[in-house]
Amino acid sequence: KQEVTQIPAALSVPEGENLVLNCSFTDSAIYNLQWFRQDPGKGLTSLLLIQSSQREQTSGRLNASLDKSSGRSTLYIAASQPGDSATYLCAVSTGSYKLIFGSGTRLLVRP
Amino acid sequence: DAGITQSPRYKITETGRQVTLMCHQTWSHSYMFWYRQDLGHGLRLIYYSAAADITDKGEVPDGYVVSRSKTENFPLTLESATRSQTSVYFCASSSTGDYGYTFGSGTRLTVV
């Protein structure tokens, strides 16, 4: 059974710092991996999608990598800002319209 | 604006009552999903639908019923609410089924 783990559960950093969020999964047979952002009381917003054949994806200050063989993905946020404060969730797709989510990393960027 | 709308935003109900959560999308996406989010569990898939009149179970379907008579609507019914169904429920839609998800703002359901 596919399981997705995100460490740390919470992270507090000063503004301007570069940071890395981690996601690990137990079964390397994935269709894709996705990173989402969730603001308090809101739904999820899609940030990055990495297909199983890809190694990384970039969008602005965000870069996500995927290493299927080790069952790991990282989300790198450059030059963090207070507006980046949110919960970040990773999810793997098994290819059958089912996303398996991690529990998320709650990020606080202090001004 | 096109989007995905969930209603109600908040709901308190009593144990044993039937309650229906509504989800409406305006993109005509084929795929729609219901997830529940609980502390320590992340989001877990309850049911999904690949098209009108086609639904299938997710990870935690027990105690829930869905229907999809129209492409744009995907209601979730708790037939006899239990305290363990207290959660935040998210509806999502996608044109592909495996990515390109758009999520609603959620319904916070409390069963007392």
Side-chain angles (χ1 to χ4, degrees):
Chain A
K1 178 184 173 184
Q2 178 73 267
E3 292 182 359
V4 180
T5 303
Q6 291 186 247
I7 295 173
L11 183 63
S12 178
V13 300
E15 182 177 4
E17 192 163 297
N18 301 325
L19 58 100
V20 174
L21 307 182
N22 297 296
C23 173
S24 61
F25 47 95
T26 55
D27 187 346
S28 62
I30 64 171
Y31 187 69
N32 64 53
L33 185 142
Q34 304 176 47
W35 282 94
F36 294 87
R37 168 183 172 140
Q38 184 177 25
D39 293 286
K42 302 281 183 66
L44 281 66
T45 301
S46 180
L47 295 174
L48 289 165
L49 163 71
I50 310 177
Q51 299 287 9
S52 63
S53 59
Q54 298 175 321
R55 297 282 295 187
E56 66 177 318
Q57 281 288 335
T58 298
S59 176
R61 294 182 294 107
L62 305 179
N63 175 277
S65 67
L66 174 64
D67 184 343
K68 277 201 332 178
S69 62
S70 67
R72 293 184 181 182
S73 175
T74 61
L75 179 67
Y76 175 82
I77 302 177
S80 58
Q81 304 170 359
D84 294 330
S85 298
T87 296
Y88 291 81
L89 296 143
C90 76
V92 299
S93 171
T94 60
S96 56
Y97 319 128
K98 297 176 182 178
L99 286 182
I100 309 297
F101 283 84
S103 298
T105 293
R106 191 169 64 255
L107 173 66
L108 174 64
V109 181
R110 308 186 304 271
Chain B
D1 251 354
I4 186 164
T5 305
Q6 291 185 237
S7 61
R9 194 80 171 83
Y10 302 93
K11 176 73 177 180
I12 300 174
T13 192
E14 294 178 339
T15 302
R17 290 199 180 260
Q18 182 182 81
V19 60
T20 296
L21 310 184
M22 304 301 292
C23 179
H24 175 78
Q25 54 114 349
T26 59
W27 284 293
S28 298
H29 284 168
S30 294
Y31 299 89
M32 295 188 75
F33 308 83
W34 275 106
Y35 286 87
R36 61 178 288 175
Q37 185 175 34
D38 305 290
L39 275 174
H41 285 283
L43 277 80
R44 292 179 291 175
L45 180 65
I46 305 171
Y47 269 96
Y48 68 98
S49 169
D53 296 323
I54 300 176
T55 62
D56 205 352
K57 296 178 180 179
E59 184 183 355
V60 288
D62 292 344
Y64 303 95
V65 174
V66 294
S67 62
R68 195 164 176 210
S69 58
K70 293 184 178 181
T71 300
E72 61 267 30
N73 295 323
F74 191 38
L76 176 74
T77 297
L78 288 67
E79 293 188 299
S80 178
T82 65
R83 289 195 180 88
S84 65
Q85 293 177 309
T86 293
S87 186
V88 181
Y89 291 84
F90 287 100
C91 178
S93 71
S94 165
S95 60
T96 66
D98 288 305
Y99 57 90
Y101 282 64
T102 301
F103 281 80
S105 297
T107 293
R108 183 175 294 275
L109 176 68
T110 302
V111 183
V112 298

